[in-house]
Amino acid sequence: RKEVEQDPGPFNVPEGATVAFNCTYSNSASQSFFWYRQDCRKEPKLLMSVYSSGNEDGRFTAQLNRASQYISLLIRDSKLSDSATYLCAMSSGLTGNQFYFGTGTSLTVIP
Amino acid sequence: GAGVSQSPSNKVTEKGKDVELRCDPISGHTALYWYRQSLGQGLEFLIYFQGNSAPDKSGLPSDRFSAERTGGSVSTLTIQRTQQEDSAVYLCASSLALRPSTDTQYFGPGTRLTVL
């Protein structure tokens, strides 16, 4: 079983829509959680960390559910510039240095 | 300041040849990671360096893969006797390593390896 499972999509949504992505993870000892954004043929860039109590950054809201072992990312009022692949990631290992990434969810925001 | 750099950006090689990929982390970052990303796959953790500590090699897929980090800065990932399934984008990332599990990792642009 993969450490991280993520729906690959694609998600095609109109501008202004709200869209949500989920990732499930298998290791209950996973320590920290993240969402990364990756544009086509570019390197991943950190979008936001995911905190236990949930956190928001502008139009982006991240949530963690340890009991059900999933994290989510909600994007409100989608912009054309949000079109990208969104990767979830989590750290585990003795020092938390082992990172596991999902396969990514492709989002296209349509005018 | 300068970000993580990797070279070459593209590498095409023949099956059975050895390749070396290079990563220059951000100055002052003591943690360095290597990942690979195959088409339609997530990033696969390969190896982690932290300062002078022994590297965490638990992600290396076979003994054909090895990595070094000299002087706590530049790192090279070597793949011996390359196979077609080694074709992927190899990404390097660095972080401050104040706390590995939560530090922001900054990725380089990657090396796209194609094994013919």
Side-chain angles (χ1 to χ4, degrees), chain A residues 32 34 38 43 96-99 102, chain B residues 37 42 48 56 58 101 105 108:
Chain A
S32 300
F34 310 87
Q38 186 172 26
E43 71 274 19
N97 62 276
Q98 292 176 4
F99 280 77
Chain B
Q37 187 173 32
Y48 164 77
D56 179 347
S58 59
S101 63
Q105 293 185 40

Side-chain angles (χ1 to χ4, degrees), chain A residues 1-74:
Chain A
R1 184 181 172 187
K2 285 186 180 179
E3 292 276 345
V4 182
E5 300 273 3
Q6 185 174 6
D7 181 352
F11 285 67
N12 299 313
V13 303
E15 259 186 300
T18 295
V19 61
F21 311 132
N22 286 335
C23 262
T24 58
Y25 60 95
S26 59
N27 185 353
S28 59
S30 294
Q31 298 176 27
S32 300
F33 305 85
F34 310 87
W35 283 100
Y36 280 78
R37 171 189 169 129
Q38 186 172 26
D39 292 293
C40 189
R41 299 181 78 86
K42 298 284 190 181
E43 71 274 19
K45 292 185 179 177
L46 180 67
L47 179 65
M48 58 197 301
S49 300
V50 187
Y51 303 125
S52 297
S53 55
N55 48 300
E56 193 173 298
D57 183 1
R59 297 181 294 107
F60 299 84
T61 301
Q63 302 235 318
L64 165 64
N65 185 320
R66 282 198 182 269
S68 301
Q69 294 186 199
Y70 75 85
I71 63 172
S72 64
L73 177 68
L74 183 79

Side-chain angles (χ1 to χ4, degrees), chain B residues 76-88:
Chain B
T76 54
L77 176 70
T78 301
I79 309 173
Q80 296 178 307
R81 305 182 301 282
T82 51
Q83 303 294 313
Q84 288 181 330
E85 61 263 28
D86 298 335
S87 297

Side-chain angles (χ1 to χ4, degrees), chain B residues 44-102:
Chain B
E44 177 187 1
F45 167 79
L46 297 178
I47 188 168
Y48 164 77
F49 294 92
Q50 164 51 18
N52 296 321
S53 302
D56 179 347
K57 303 180 182 180
S58 59
L60 294 178
S62 77
D63 58 9
R64 296 187 296 104
F65 288 72
S66 62
E68 289 185 342
R69 189 177 185 194
T70 53
S73 182
V74 172
S75 176
T76 54
L77 176 70
T78 301
I79 309 173
Q80 296 178 307
R81 305 182 301 282
T82 51
Q83 303 294 313
Q84 288 181 330
E85 61 263 28
D86 298 335
S87 297
V89 176
Y90 289 82
L91 290 155
C92 173
S94 71
S95 72
L96 283 170
L98 296 175
R99 189 178 168 198
S101 63
T102 57

Side-chain angles (χ1 to χ4, degrees), chain A residues 70-90:
Chain A
Y70 75 85
I71 63 172
S72 64
L73 177 68
L74 183 79
I75 306 176
R76 291 183 302 279
D77 189 22
S78 300
K79 311 290 185 192
L80 296 177
S81 56
D82 294 335
S83 297
T85 296
Y86 291 84
L87 301 164
C88 58
M90 48 213 63

